[in-house]
Amino acid sequence: MRQVHVSGPAASDPRLLTAQTRLAELVAALDTHADEVHSIDSCRQAVGRIDEELREPAPDGRRLTETLEMLTLALGSATSLTSLAGSLRTAIEALIS
């Protein structure tokens, strides 16, 4: 399981905190439902990239959007995870808009 930690001024942004919380929820669910996804390795890679980007002082919206697409493809039809991924997408869209 991967934990998300952020410090500095951006850490107090409630949109960032929401995105990080949604990411942590998805990571926990991936650990539980790894056998349901299309490609667990691709999921973990996408989650790692999103985590890295959310740690940046100014997250790159394009990179986050592209990585979310990769994550969605890697999840496949794992319904137990697609709603969490949708919540993460919504939180990230609010952060980068």
Side-chain angles (χ1 to χ4, degrees):
M1 183 166 173
R2 177 177 271 214
Q3 292 183 335
V4 178
H5 299 281
V6 173
S7 60
S12 62
D13 185 338
R15 298 170 303 163
L16 177 60
L17 295 174
T18 299
Q20 292 170 327
T21 299
R22 298 299 171 258
L23 181 62
E25 291 169 352
L26 181 60
V27 168
L30 277 173
D31 290 341
T32 303
H33 302 283
D35 58 334
E36 297 175 30
V37 301
H38 176 70
S39 173
I40 191 62
D41 292 335
S42 293
C43 287
R44 295 202 189 285
Q45 182 181 27
V47 164
R49 287 180 182 170
I50 292 168
D51 181 37
E52 287 173 15
E53 201 60 45
L54 291 178
R55 292 171 185 260
E56 292 294 322
D60 183 332
R62 187 176 63 136
R63 183 169 187 224
L64 283 167
T65 301
E66 290 172 355
T67 306
L68 283 167
E69 289 300 320
M70 184 177 105
L71 176 63
T72 300
L73 291 172
L75 287 173
S77 61
T79 55
S80 56
L81 298 167
T82 54
S83 64
L84 287 172
S87 295
L88 175 60
R89 177 182 297 279
T90 300
I92 287 175
E93 287 171 351
L95 176 66
I96 63 177
S97 61

